[in-house]
Structure formats: C-alpha cells, structure tokens
Amino acid sequence: MQAMVLNEIKTPLQWTELPDRQPGPGQIRVQVTACGVCRTDLHVIDGELPNPVVPIIPGHEIVGRIDAIGPGVQGLIMGERVGIPWLGHTCGVCPYCRMHRENLCDHPVFTGFTCDGGFATATIADARFAFPLGEVGDDVSLAPLLCAGLIGWRALVIAGEGRKLGLYGFGAAAHIVAQVAKWQGRSVFGFTRPGDLATQAFARSLGVAWAGGSDEMPPEQLDAAIIFATVGDLVPLALRAVRKGGRVVCAGIHMSDIPSFPYRLLWEERQLLSVANLTRQDGIDFLRQVPTMGVVTHTKKYPLRKANEALADLRAGRFDGAAVLVP
Ligand SMILES: [Zn+2]
Ligand SMILES: [Zn+2]
C-alpha cells in the first residue's frame, strides 16, 4: 500500500510505500476510493491537538470497499462500500460509553490522529465503527459527509429547533449543514471572513437567506448559531447576534483563544456550548436521511500524492466546499 505519512509535526506529508496490512480480530481492511480533507487534519499536522502520535497517516473521511475481513466481524461483507469516520474505536466501559455518550469516551481511538487514516490506498478499521454506505451516490461526493457532514449534523441537533440559524465559517461543514437546515425549513444566515465576497456568493448559491462578513450583524436576530471557523473572536460576535435564550455552538475541535467579553452578551439565558466528536448513532441518523435531504456536496478532487497541495489550499481558503483525495 501507499500512503501520505506525517513523520513529524509541522512538516509536509511524505509519499511512502508500506507493507500491506492484515485486519486483526474485529477489523476490516478497506481499499480507499476517496478521502476527504478536513480542517482537523491541519490541527493534527500542526500539533494543535493533545498527545499527538507520529508517524501517522491522517484522513478521517474515508470511503472505500472492504477487501479483507478479520475474525469475528459481523454484518459486513467483502466488496461492501463503507465509510470510516473520525471516531475509530471506543472503550465501551467508561462512564461516557455507558451513558450513550461515546463521543466523550475516556479511551477513544481517532482515525487519522491516534490510528492510521485514509490518506492512503488502504486502511484498517474497527468494523463496528464503519458505516455501510450502500450504492447510492459517488465515492467523492460522499466522503465529506463522514466528518463535515456528521459533526455538522451533531452541531445542528445541539443548536436546537430554532428557525433562524447562523453559520460562522462557511467551509465544508457549513455548506452541508446549510442544505440540511434549509431542507428542515429553517432560514440560514452565512457568515464568512469579512470581505470574502466569493464565499458569500457560494453561500447564496446554496439558498441561504443572507450572507455577509462575520463582523456584520444579520438582518434578523438569530435563534442559534454554529461556529465552524477556528477563530475564538467569533464567540462574542455570535452571542451578540442571537436572541434571548439563543444558543451558540462551537463545532471545531480547536479554536484560538476566546477574547473576554461583557457578561451582558451571555446574559438573558443565552447558552454557549461545544460539540465533540460523534457517536455511531449520529452517523446512523444522519446517513439514513442523506438521500431524502438532497444534499449535494461541492468537492475539489486531488490525487492522493497531492495531499500537501490540498491541505495548503484548505489553509488558504482557496476552494469552496470540500477537498477530496483520490488514490
Ligand atoms: Zn469509553
Ligand atoms: Zn474532520
């Protein structure tokens, strides 16, 4: 197999020839056909997440087909198309696993962070954490759903039922969540970097009610806002834009420091929450509804060997939607 490997934090990934791996008990081997590039991959490469492991193969929005099955795997067959998300394994016995909050597991394994991921021609996964994807939709279009879609979905559920929803940072996740929220009958307000007219136009093309810079106030008070950008300064801005009792959900795994702000922005029962990881149930709930929601992902394809280029383009905001690597 071949892979783009992170050998040292803050260095480019290296194209590497590796011996083929065999799935152990409970595991499957998947021939990767597409793997999305997520902002979390940048945090992994930059060493911004605690206890980094190197060398590691990043990538946690994996679509592929099973070509080897380890002992004890149930419910999956050879050749089946599956998706492999960020949550790679949980312990099953800690208090969080027992209270159906496995996204907060005390001893988790994360794909492309603490176990090898999908910037490769093949990968090994815990079969219980892989999602059968069926045969509807092409591999590249489905890849961004495995993290941008899933985490976006979890953030949307946590944001509550409010009809007027703000999305701060209009990248891969927001472009999916905007479509889901619209399908649910909500009005979406898209916030981009100030002056980023191209992304604002992209947001409008997806049917948002309004698009503008994150330094602007929306034309109406919001019921809730989700912050996908990694910029802590957005927290007080979003709190200012939501109504009394409204919610602000931080969906990123990493954020720059939140500046101090007047208590009155939080007062009147506004809530500030974060979203961490996903549960398998999130994946089942979301992926089951995707065909009826009519979500169309906007993707930019890169050959696997050009992973560093895709990451640099993501960092610089050089494309709309999501980048996807294809072996
Ligand atoms: Zn656990
Ligand atoms: Zn991700």
Side-chain angles (χ1 to χ4, degrees), residues 38-41 60-61 86 147-148 151:
C38 173
R39 188 157 293 277
T40 299
D41 297 315
H60 56 271
E61 295 183 312
W86 169 248
C147 181
I151 302 279

Side-chain angles (χ1 to χ4, degrees), residues 99-115:
M99 64 172 95
H100 305 293
R101 298 183 78 182
E102 65 179 356
N103 60 309
L104 301 178
C105 175
D106 282 333
H107 306 285
V109 175
F110 294 119
T111 309
F113 176 43
T114 56
C115 75

